[in-house]
Amino acid sequence: MKLNSYLDVHPDVENALNRKLPIVALESTIISHGMPYPENIETALMVEDTVRANKAIPATIAIINGRLKVGLTNKEIELLATNDEVRKISRRDLAIAVSQKLSGSTTVASTMIIANLAKIAVFATGGIGGVHRGAEKTFDISADLEELSRTNVCVVCAGAKAILDIGLTLEYLETKGVPIIGYKTSELPAFYSSKSGFNVDYRIDSAFDIAKILQTKWGLSIEGGVLVTNPIPETFELEFVMMNEAINEAIIEADKEKITGKEITPYLLSKVNEITQGKSLVANIKLIQNNAALAAKIAIHYFE
Ligand code: PSU
Ligand code: MN
């Protein structure tokens, strides 16, 4: 198979592509900027194992010395987990990182772009970026949303995190024509908790049906992604009101410290983790695992 010449595809992933085996793409900003060490590396490896346990091949995506890596070695994952110099690379940064031979981790947006170049249709993450609270003043809207409107990849996440304005994030996705599916739920999950108070467009109860929707959407030449929202398992869920208070506190801190732009999401994640004394991190790890398992199931049916 002839793929884009900027890509380095890991042999396991290449073999899966050639044999049309199910593959699940995984992002890497969560490793470099989404979690502290050593939970970041442990989680990255565990999530890959979860994909394998569910009979699909993991392809963690990042940029190493300007090469777009589809599938990482454990050493490369370790580099992303431990090196403070690793940059967060979104759509706007990609071409520069490649031509300047930089290394960086990929956000949901840039992971979608690279997955699409590698012909990988299903991608699991924790949470997507969205419309931030106060965006009417700051204009802070993640490039992830725009990417979902244009790149043909299914993104499995645990809903929108309350560090965002959930209502505005849904409105934005509606404007952009991005279908939002609730897996076994008619209410949009709110990342740390299974409920947000907002409804999804469609509740779908089987991975098979989701795979058929993907095939149909792209068969109809309707460009863009599909967002699958998968609630965190009940036992790991955190209380919505408690989380909201932690998030409010984190946002006030971020304001005081004048954090803006690409720094804001990592800052809020680590502040919330501090305020909840690590509870949010445990929930984060569990929900990613849950998303990886569902993504593997969707990927399997996608090839049927
Ligand atoms: N939400 C999380 N954990 C993360 C991110 C979001 O719970 O690690 C990362 C993802 O890589 C996402 C990015 O694509 O943050 C969004 O950043 P921004 O808001 O700057 O677009
Ligand atoms: Mn932003």
Side-chain angles (χ1 to χ4, degrees), residues 8 41 61 142 218 235 243 266 281:
D8 282 346
I41 185 163
I61 290 176
S142 174
W218 299 326
T235 27
M243 280 315 297
L281 180 58

Side-chain angles (χ1 to χ4, degrees), residues 27-31 33-35 88 90 92 105-111 123 125-130 132 140-145 161 163-164 191-192 261-266 269 284 287-288:
E27 62 144 313
S28 48
T29 294
I30 194 165
I31 306 173
H33 293 73
M35 285 187 184
K88 173 177 165 187
S90 196
R92 63 165 180 187
S105 57
T106 50
T107 62
V108 168
S110 52
T111 304
F123 162 21
T125 183
I128 57 163
H132 279 262
D140 190 348
I141 300 174
S142 174
D144 293 352
L145 299 186
K161 191 176 301 105
I163 63 170
L164 304 170
F191 200 81
Y192 301 116
K262 70 198 263 188
E263 320 294 340
I264 188 95
T265 298
L269 292 176
N284 205 342
L287 66 85
I288 293 171

Side-chain angles (χ1 to χ4, degrees), residues 54-81:
N54 285 277
K55 303 192 170 49
I57 310 298
T60 306
I61 290 176
I63 301 157
I64 309 280
N65 299 325
R67 299 292 302 166
L68 305 183
K69 298 282 177 187
V70 182
L72 299 179
T73 63
N74 290 1
K75 266 245 121 15
E76 288 165 337
I77 290 179
E78 192 183 326
L79 173 94
L80 297 173

Side-chain angles (χ1 to χ4, degrees), residues 84 98 201 225-226 239:
D84 288 341
V98 169
D201 305 331
V226 171
E239 218 267 307

Side-chain angles (χ1 to χ4, degrees), residues 6 12 20 51 55 63 70 77 107 125 138 155-156 172 189 228 256 268 289 293:
Y6 296 107
D12 293 352
K20 294 213 175 340
V51 172
K55 303 192 170 49
I63 301 157
V70 182
I77 290 179
T107 62
T125 183
T138 62
V155 178
V156 181
Y172 197 94
V228 175
K256 267 196 216 143
L268 291 177
Q289 184 169 26

